[in-house]
Amino acid sequence: MEAVILAAGWGTRLKPLTENFPKPLLRVAGRELLYRHLRLLSERGVSKFWIIINPKHRQHYQEFRARHPEFDLEFIENPYPERGNGYSFYLAKDHVKGPLILTMGDHVYEKDFVIRAVSLRGLIVDREGRFISPEEATKALCLNGHIKALGKDLKQFTGFDTGFFVLHEPQEAFSAAERLLQRKKEISLSEVMVEARIPCAELSGYLWMDVDTPADLKRATRLLVKHGVKGGGDGLISRYLNRKVSTWVSARVINFLSPNQATLLTTLLGLLAAATLAFSPKGAALLYQLSSMLDGMDGEIARASLRTTSFGGWLDSVLDRLVDFAFLAGLYLVWQPAFPWQQLVALCAFFGAIMVSYTAERYYGAFQHPLYQDFPLLRYIPGKRDERVFLIMLGVLAGKIWETFLVLALITNLRVFLTLTLVCAKNLGQHPA
Amino acid sequence: MEAVILAAGWGTRLKPLTENFPKPLLRVAGRELLYRHLRLLSERGVSKFWIIINPKHRQHYQEFRARHPEFDLEFIENPYPERGNGYSFYLAKDHVKGPLILTMGDHVYEKDFVIRAVSLRGLIVDREGRFISPEEATKALCLNGHIKALGKDLKQFTGFDTGFFVLHEPQEAFSAAERLLQRKKEISLSEVMVEARIPCAELSGYLWMDVDTPADLKRATRLLVKHGVKGGGDGLISRYLNRKVSTWVSARVINFLSPNQATLLTTLLGLLAAATLAFSPKGAALLYQLSSMLDGMDGEIARASLRTTSFGGWLDSVLDRLVDFAFLAGLYLVWQPAFPWQQLVALCAFFGAIMVSYTAERYYGAFQHPLYQDFPLLRYIPGKRDERVFLIMLGVLAGKIWETFLVLALITNLRVFLTLTLVCAKNLGQHPA
């Protein structure tokens, strides 16, 4: 499949950013707007891209292509952007052959939107438009599965124009453009699509928006970061505290911090917290909680900037274990438990803290399913990392080290025991010994 | 694809076991001989089985079928087994349609043999015959890719008849049998295949054998257990000591101990060892090493009896961590380290012992490749479980607890550090930050 991306607009409202620079090459959540289209559409099987550009930005686009040799893209120059985006689209006529996907280079779509949209037909219309301002958006009136009208000022409409088109017979739309161009010089894409009576399909509730102003750039970044949060393994503290902090920071640093750099940074902060135990246990506890609040950044940055790797996940897990061990070991050395049963409880806390993660990770390795997905009950049982760190912070601030180790040993090992019971119950039932 | 399995023989040399019982239903490594054929061929896409049986064993075969509803099998009775296995084969003529696989019900083939054999054509011939006695085996003379002669007393031969045939045009073989039956009443499969001039293909070095005597039954079990050892994660102690013990025991208990029961047994033994530390550290150390020697049993039994499950692997890993923790915790409590640096070293030993496994298991979850496969160097670095347990045993027997914790902390954490370095070096090179 091929794709056409319209990128010849003026970007007027983003000046001075777009004075001498094309809007589709501005960065949102660490990636050029255009890169997101290419990457997400490639993953859905699009192998050839035609980008309609303004000739004055030729140099920037050629540099972009040199930076991304993984995509097969060609530029079609529109020397008359003032003739409208319908004319831009028309310029692709003699290049594309089969079915095509048409998108707007200044729009942002989240991955799940693209995954679903490519299997639909015609203009994708969103009934809710949760992330756009309704006054400024283009509305669409769909009747009997076909577009009847498109425009900003429609009184009656069935949804919002997402700017994402799946055209199985694009020549109909090109012919419609040709007919309109015989009558006038400037034509809009909306006119073309209404004239061509292309189908429309509904896809509502996903994140998509157009980027028109500097405020939109920031908002798109923030929304992509938040939508990248996969909360499956998050505990209560993460959901109501840590994620608020980490997404706030992630959105602000995503353009210059890579996921692995974020991992390294929070690890160093965690190790610093452990070292601080020697001087100031309370300061150390606060630092530890701070590192835990920032712990989600690597994943958020990775997902929002389309940089997730298996390696990143592995590194994050291993270094989290290291930080947890370092802090607990420091706490143990500061505390110096005198009685064997205190020592045993502390050792059990060490064991439980690692095993909560070990049982879940080993489960994924064995079954290729997240443990929390197969046993949703475990989402509601405490003992996950965010909760452990918070508990330790509270315990240290209260000066109750013994009680902290005791509670930690209890909840983590209960969680491990419950995991063991659930997994055994399910599997021994299926495969009788 | 269909399969025909010849199971109408007398089993004379296995009396009294086969007095009133068919040889193909005898158990080898915890499974009926026939079950192995059905299971391994099913996994390679065979969906329909025709078993040629002796009518006097009808009842046993019907019970077998009722126990294994997962296979689509039908029995063809041969009321004249004395007419030879060529005649048995001929009885399938009107039942099978397309290409077929023909095997001998009293043969054992290891999984890797079957995986490779089904993609070949004609009689599978083994040049080496490593697991059979050459005097008694049927030899095959292949010339230009076709069988010229088959027999026990061939002077000139190119390999041994494995009893495994892949017949893409079985009607040629049935016609050959028909021609022979017009001349005489008793015909052997060898005569049929020579008459039909079927192709032959070489596949050498894999485990296959026929089971004729009670000694063969035991030997086949022992060989299947040994061939089930996947030594990728084995350390030195495992290779030269533990595996010798565990395979010896596994072969003897495989008919009445399931893999998960073996896991449970070695876990209990390990926990008993930890508890024994309170009374007799040296006795405890020996028990711990004993449990480590038997630790391979669950996997050996599972693989040899075709009972491997993702769950079994998960349970084994989790319980190994529990036993290791219990023993080290016991040792710590007995030892009572007085100085903080001793405590720190001991805690590092706890951490390293779990993390050796954690880094490897989490790697598998992330990359779907065994860590040892991607980084073969790690096979030669000490710190794996068998080596840790052996080291602990030596240390406790020598009464040197402090030194044991120190060496343990060093080798495990060095191994973890090396793993971290190797994985980072490889992946940061591939995905520049």
Side-chain angles (χ1 to χ4, degrees):
Chain A
M1 215 165 177
E2 296 173 86
V4 171
I5 302 173
L6 301 191
W10 298 107
T12 329
R13 296 167 63 193
L14 267 160
K15 287 182 180 175
L17 285 176
T18 50
E19 195 67 70
N20 288 301
F21 196 79
K23 184 159 72 160
L25 296 188
L26 289 177
R27 278 168 189 268
V28 159
R31 293 287 197 183
E32 300 97 340
L33 282 164
L34 180 59
Y35 176 88
R36 301 187 163 272
H37 292 251
L38 301 176
R39 171 72 180 272
L40 296 177
L41 290 173
S42 289
E43 287 173 0
R44 308 323 296 171
V46 176
S47 54
K48 178 84 193 176
F49 296 91
W50 304 94
I51 323 291
I52 320 293
I53 64 166
N54 188 321
K56 76 169 181 168
H57 294 137
R58 187 186 304 141
Q59 181 68 23
H60 293 296
Y61 279 107
Q62 280 169 354
E63 285 166 17
F64 173 85
R65 177 161 61 185
R67 281 202 305 279
H68 295 292
E70 68 268 37
F71 303 118
D72 179 3
L73 65 163
E74 293 199 36
F75 302 122
I76 301 171
E77 299 190 355
N78 179 359
Y80 313 108
E82 68 279 7
R83 294 187 65 182
N85 58 359
Y87 179 71
S88 278
F89 167 65
Y90 175 71
L91 291 176
K93 178 176 186 296
D94 297 329
H95 298 281
V96 297
K97 283 164 201 76
L100 78 89
I101 285 174
L102 169 65
T103 63
M104 305 301 111
D106 62 353
H107 279 44
V108 168
Y109 307 99
E110 73 169 316
K111 186 172 178 160
D112 286 340
F113 177 95
V114 176
I115 291 175
R116 280 153 190 86
V118 293
S119 66
L120 302 174
R121 263 183 113 120
L123 169 60
I124 311 303
V125 168
D126 185 335
R127 196 173 284 275
E128 305 172 21
R130 279 170 58 194
F131 304 98
I132 52 167
S133 46
E135 317 82 64
E136 299 190 23
T138 304
K139 288 93 181 167
L141 176 64
C142 292
L143 286 177
N144 303 323
H146 285 267
I147 295 183
K148 277 281 177 290
L150 283 172
K152 292 205 173 188
D153 307 317
L154 289 193
K155 290 274 173 300
Q156 193 199 358
F157 57 91
T158 53
F160 298 97
D161 172 355
T162 64
F164 196 107
F165 299 81
V166 184
L167 302 176
H168 285 249
E169 282 129 5
Q171 292 308 325
E172 293 182 3
F174 289 125
S175 306
E178 207 158 66
R179 285 197 299 278
L180 290 170
L181 283 169
Q182 283 161 3
R183 282 186 263 147
K184 51 184 186 170
K185 275 193 92 68
E186 184 189 343
I187 58 170
S188 74
L189 191 64
S190 297
E191 288 176 276
V192 172
M193 294 304 175
V194 171
E195 169 78 16
R197 299 197 67 240
I198 64 151
C200 49
E202 194 206 318
L203 180 63
S204 299
Y206 291 96
L207 169 58
W208 65 273
M209 60 181 283
D210 46 346
V211 174
D212 280 333
T213 65
D216 286 345
L217 272 178
K218 286 191 186 167
R219 186 154 165 273
T221 298
R222 219 164 52 233
L223 287 170
L224 282 170
V225 166
K226 281 202 178 160
H227 274 247
V229 172
K230 294 281 164 278
D234 280 4
L236 276 179
I237 306 301
S238 209
R239 231 170 301 159
Y240 296 108
L241 174 63
N242 298 0
R243 285 291 182 192
K244 312 261 188 234
V245 178
S246 61
T247 53
W248 192 91
V249 179
S250 290
R252 272 147 191 88
V253 299
I254 193 166
N255 282 327
F256 46 87
L257 200 70
S258 79
N260 292 335
Q261 286 166 346
T263 302
L264 207 64
L265 205 77
T266 49
T267 301
L268 291 176
L269 198 59
L271 294 178
L272 180 68
T276 307
L277 277 168
F279 317 103
S280 157
K282 293 189 182 177
L286 291 170
L287 265 183
Y288 188 33
Q289 171 60 22
L290 177 65
S291 81
S292 173
M293 287 194 292
L294 298 178
D295 190 37
M297 277 171 61
D298 42 14
E300 291 158 12
I301 292 177
R303 281 183 293 270
S305 67
L306 306 173
R307 284 188 169 89
T308 50
T309 61
S310 305
F311 166 67
W314 180 85
L315 187 68
D316 183 32
S317 288
V318 170
L319 293 180
D320 275 355
R321 302 294 80 73
L322 175 67
V323 167
D324 288 351
F325 166 73
F327 199 89
L328 282 183
L331 213 52
Y332 186 97
L333 295 181
V334 167
W335 171 39
Q336 286 296 323
F339 301 105
W341 72 82
Q342 290 179 320
Q343 295 166 358
L344 182 61
V345 164
L347 292 178
C348 284
F350 277 88
F351 178 68
I354 296 190
M355 289 304 283
V356 165
S357 172
Y358 186 94
T359 49
E361 300 295 359
R362 182 67 177 77
Y363 188 90
Y364 186 78
F367 294 90
Q368 315 299 324
H369 282 250
L371 178 68
Y372 304 121
Q373 198 172 296
D374 288 359
F375 302 97
L377 172 65
L378 288 173
R379 286 177 208 251
Y380 309 103
I381 304 293
K384 291 177 283 297
R385 182 169 196 255
D386 55 318
E387 296 159 339
R388 298 197 304 268
V389 174
F390 194 74
L391 178 82
I392 293 170
M393 178 196 66
L394 292 183
V396 174
L397 290 181
K400 303 215 176 280
I401 310 294
W402 158 240
E403 291 81 354
T404 303
F405 272 110
L406 183 64
V407 175
L408 200 61
L410 282 176
I411 61 169
T412 56
N413 286 290
L414 273 176
R415 187 181 173 84
V416 169
F417 181 75
L418 181 66
T419 304
L420 204 58
T421 310
L422 287 172
V423 176
C424 284
K426 180 177 176 189
N427 285 278
L428 287 177
Q430 283 175 5
H431 311 281
Chain B
M1 217 167 176
E2 296 175 86
V4 171
I5 300 172
L6 302 190
W10 298 106
T12 328
R13 295 166 65 193
L14 267 160
K15 284 183 182 172
L17 286 175
T18 50
E19 193 69 70
N20 288 302
F21 196 79
K23 184 160 73 164
L25 296 189
L26 289 177
R27 277 168 189 268
V28 159
R31 293 288 197 183
E32 301 97 340
L33 283 165
L34 180 59
Y35 175 88
R36 298 186 164 272
H37 292 252
L38 301 176
R39 171 74 180 270
L40 295 178
L41 289 173
S42 290
E43 287 174 0
R44 309 321 298 172
V46 176
S47 54
K48 178 84 194 176
F49 295 91
W50 303 94
I51 324 289
I52 320 294
I53 64 166
N54 188 321
K56 76 169 181 171
H57 294 139
R58 185 186 303 141
Q59 181 68 24
H60 292 296
Y61 279 106
Q62 280 169 353
E63 287 167 15
F64 173 85
R65 178 162 59 188
R67 280 202 305 278
H68 295 292
E70 68 268 36
F71 303 117
D72 177 5
L73 64 165
E74 293 200 37
F75 302 122
I76 301 171
E77 298 191 356
N78 177 0
Y80 313 108
E82 68 280 5
R83 293 186 66 184
N85 57 0
Y87 179 71
S88 278
F89 167 66
Y90 176 71
L91 291 175
K93 177 175 187 295
D94 297 329
H95 298 281
V96 296
K97 281 164 202 77
L100 81 89
I101 286 172
L102 168 65
T103 64
M104 306 301 112
D106 61 353
H107 279 44
V108 168
Y109 306 98
E110 72 169 314
K111 186 172 179 161
D112 286 339
F113 178 96
V114 175
I115 290 176
R116 279 155 190 86
V118 293
S119 65
L120 302 174
R121 263 183 112 120
L123 169 59
I124 312 302
V125 169
D126 184 335
R127 197 174 282 275
E128 305 172 20
R130 279 170 57 194
F131 304 98
I132 53 166
S133 46
E135 317 83 62
E136 298 189 23
T138 303
K139 288 95 181 168
L141 176 64
C142 291
L143 286 177
N144 304 322
H146 286 266
I147 296 183
K148 276 281 175 291
L150 283 170
K152 292 204 173 188
D153 307 317
L154 289 193
K155 290 275 175 297
Q156 196 201 354
F157 57 90
T158 53
F160 298 97
D161 172 356
T162 64
F164 196 107
F165 298 81
V166 183
L167 302 175
H168 284 249
E169 281 127 6
Q171 292 308 326
E172 291 182 4
F174 289 126
S175 304
E178 205 157 69
R179 287 197 297 277
L180 290 170
L181 284 168
Q182 282 160 2
R183 284 184 263 147
K184 53 184 187 171
K185 276 192 91 68
E186 185 190 342
I187 59 170
S188 73
L189 190 65
S190 295
E191 288 176 278
V192 172
M193 295 304 174
V194 172
E195 170 78 16
R197 300 198 66 240
I198 65 150
C200 48
E202 195 206 316
L203 180 62
S204 299
Y206 291 96
L207 170 58
W208 66 272
M209 60 181 283
D210 46 345
V211 174
D212 281 332
T213 64
D216 287 344
L217 272 177
K218 286 191 186 167
R219 191 158 161 270
T221 297
R222 219 163 53 232
L223 286 170
L224 282 170
V225 167
K226 282 201 177 163
H227 274 247
V229 172
K230 295 279 164 276
D234 281 3
L236 277 179
I237 307 300
S238 210
R239 231 170 300 158
Y240 297 107
L241 173 64
N242 298 0
R243 286 290 183 192
K244 313 260 187 235
V245 178
S246 61
T247 54
W248 191 90
V249 179
S250 290
R252 274 151 190 85
V253 300
I254 193 167
N255 282 326
F256 46 87
L257 201 70
S258 79
N260 292 335
Q261 286 166 345
T263 302
L264 207 65
L265 206 76
T266 49
T267 301
L268 291 178
L269 198 58
L271 294 177
L272 181 69
T276 306
L277 277 168
F279 317 103
S280 158
K282 293 189 182 178
L286 291 170
L287 264 183
Y288 188 33
Q289 171 60 21
L290 177 65
S291 81
S292 173
M293 287 195 291
L294 298 178
D295 189 37
M297 278 170 61
D298 42 16
E300 292 158 11
I301 292 176
R303 282 182 293 268
S305 67
L306 305 173
R307 283 188 170 89
T308 50
T309 60
S310 304
F311 167 67
W314 181 85
L315 187 67
D316 183 32
S317 288
V318 171
L319 293 180
D320 275 355
R321 302 294 82 72
L322 175 67
V323 168
D324 288 350
F325 166 73
F327 199 89
L328 282 183
L331 214 51
Y332 186 96
L333 296 181
V334 168
W335 171 39
Q336 288 295 322
F339 302 103
W341 72 81
Q342 290 180 320
Q343 296 166 357
L344 181 61
V345 163
L347 292 178
C348 285
F350 277 89
F351 178 68
I354 296 189
M355 288 304 283
V356 165
S357 173
Y358 186 94
T359 48
E361 301 294 0
R362 182 69 178 76
Y363 188 90
Y364 186 77
F367 294 91
Q368 315 300 323
H369 282 251
L371 178 68
Y372 305 123
Q373 197 172 297
D374 287 0
F375 302 97
L377 171 65
L378 288 172
R379 286 179 208 251
Y380 308 103
I381 304 292
K384 291 178 285 297
R385 181 168 198 255
D386 54 317
E387 296 159 338
R388 298 198 303 267
V389 174
F390 194 75
L391 178 82
I392 294 170
M393 176 195 68
L394 291 183
V396 175
L397 289 182
K400 304 213 176 282
I401 310 294
W402 158 241
E403 291 82 353
T404 304
F405 272 110
L406 182 64
V407 174
L408 201 61
L410 283 175
I411 61 170
T412 56
N413 287 292
L414 273 176
R415 188 182 174 83
V416 170
F417 182 74
L418 182 66
T419 304
L420 204 57
T421 310
L422 287 173
V423 176
C424 285
K426 181 177 174 188
N427 285 280
L428 288 178
Q430 282 174 8
H431 310 281

